[in-house]
Amino acid sequence: MNAYVESVIENVKRKHGNEPEFVQTVEEVFTSIAPMVDKHPEYEKADLLNRMVEPERMFTFRVVWTDDNGQAHTNIGYRCQFNGAIGPYKGGLRFQANVNPSIIKFLGFEQTFKNSLTGLPMGGGKGGSDFDPAGKSDAEIMRFCQSFMSALYRYIGPDIDVPAGDMGVGGREIGYLYGQYRRLKGVWENGVLTGKGFSYGGSLIRPEATGYGAVYYLQEVLKHENDTIEGKRIAISGYGNVGWGIMKKAAELGAKVTYFAGPDGYIHDPDGVVGEKLDYILEMRAKDPMHCKPYADKYGVEFVPGEKCWGVKDVDIYMPAATQNDVRMESAEKIAASGVKYYIEVANMPTTNDALDYLRSQKHMIVAPSKAVNAGGVGVMTILQGVFSQYPDEVLSNIRNEKGEFAFISFVFNDLNNMNPNESIYEYKNIDGAGIVNINSLTGIDTTHKYIEVEVLIPGLGSVGKVLVYNFNYQGK
């Protein structure tokens, strides 16, 4: 390995040896880029790598809240603004009992590279708290979120730092956080938080976006191998927004998730999670996110308690989509022995370094890295919320036309009440303004509420689903 890379890794181990997750991700990333560093001696002269492993800013803060019985509780809040070289810091907030500085730094480091891979102007950051929403009432979660934002709001903003959701932080928590931010600032800054509800500035497809993006990345992997997704059987871990998005998009594309694992064990459904089962996943998760056994009880399928599905042989693809270090060496050996060809990382650092090296060494396997695979979520919410908020007078979205050209889209309608989905009713303008291409991909119209439904494509990811568009230039007859 490159001597400079080795020295940086050893420096991180010496300085941050008490932060195992952070050390792990630095070692994984820098080991993989060593060949590139060999070709660029100027990196060492500028000490680029040592600069990259130190966050630009990281701070903690006290979060005091009261439960429904009036008892006060104190938690720790974190925000790591890791790197803002190419844009505002961007990354989620995680509320989970095991959150600590190591996990926040590892996530911020990974987020920096993931965001850069989208090609969008976003830096990397991460935050959260050791507060666990599980078992808390809505009122308790609201009071915690309000206290959390009261300490954080001074340090974020649309052009400074844009938090989002993560584990333990969904639409409910984002709503409470944004409400407190607006109360404190006295302004409507739509771009300060992503993951908001659709009714107050959020994206319709944000919950599915990361899972959708992972499946589109999988499609590209299969295409590279002269293979297709139709008929593929998939085993995943996790059934939160990411896992649910994988289930949903896989079903739409002719594949099916036949295994999924939760904290209490794993489910085997040979018919796949399709149709009404997708709705039940949401219902089950809302009632009790820690147990997937109710799915087996309802649909009469196999449930294996206390185990993960890594190593099953009757699948074509593995997609770990739960949390960090989900797949360790013992599981990696089972995966390799199963004969399954495709291993697609979806969660943040779901595989330990030794297990990942082992899987990569298997000649029969294709391994796709998480930083690229799970970039769909941040890409979607930045495009669909950030870009729209910058151009309130017309809808501009970074998508492609049928020729694959990167372009902006401008909607111009002549008669809102007499739209025909089969006609070319809006214009597609190339980014350089040269030429106009008519598009026929309108999928839905609602003349009462004055919105349209269009399919959104992102370069490198393909279709990320449908989005309702309210803001457009309407030119009546």
Side-chain angles (χ1 to χ4, degrees), residues 147-289:
S147 180
F148 185 93
M149 183 54 75
S150 294
L152 182 63
Y153 83 98
R154 299 174 181 85
Y155 310 105
I156 63 175
D159 299 316
I160 302 170
D161 185 355
V162 182
D166 195 273
M167 296 178 70
V169 180
R172 173 184 57 180
E173 289 77 14
I174 291 292
Y176 293 150
L177 291 164
Y178 185 64
Q180 184 70 356
Y181 180 87
R182 192 178 71 86
R183 179 182 293 117
L184 293 167
K185 292 293 292 285
V187 294
W188 180 271
E189 292 180 341
N190 192 44
V192 70
L193 281 166
T194 56
K196 298 188 295 298
F198 181 70
S199 62
Y200 58 100
S203 165
L204 182 69
I205 60 170
R206 178 60 188 102
E208 301 97 324
T210 303
Y212 277 23
V215 175
Y216 293 131
Y217 194 98
L218 167 62
Q219 278 191 295
E220 294 300 316
V221 171
L222 293 168
K223 182 180 179 181
H224 182 270
E225 296 299 306
N226 296 314
D227 204 347
T228 63
I229 196 170
E230 289 83 2
K232 292 292 187 291
R233 299 160 300 171
I234 304 171
I236 71 171
S237 59
Y239 51 95
N241 281 343
V242 179
W244 179 66
I246 292 171
M247 295 171 180
K248 188 176 177 183
K249 182 51 66 174
E252 289 179 8
L253 296 176
K256 58 185 178 182
V257 171
T258 55
Y259 287 86
F260 70 91
D264 58 332
Y266 73 79
I267 296 289
H268 176 211
D269 184 348
D271 295 329
V273 185
V274 297
E276 69 167 26
K277 297 175 183 177
L278 289 166
D279 296 328
Y280 182 71
I281 290 287
L282 296 179
E283 179 184 334
M284 177 181 72
R285 196 176 71 196
K287 290 180 179 178
D288 181 3

Side-chain angles (χ1 to χ4, degrees), residues 15 72 81 132 159 175 234 331 416 424 447 469 475:
K15 288 183 176 181
Q81 297 173 332
D132 188 356
D159 299 316
I234 304 171
S331 298
L416 189 62
S424 300
T447 57
V469 179
Q475 300 175 355

Side-chain angles (χ1 to χ4, degrees), residues 40 65 77 91 104 143 148 205 212 261 325 394:
H40 293 276
W65 58 282
I104 294 298
R143 288 192 289 271
F148 185 93
I205 60 170
Y212 277 23
N325 294 330
E394 63 178 346

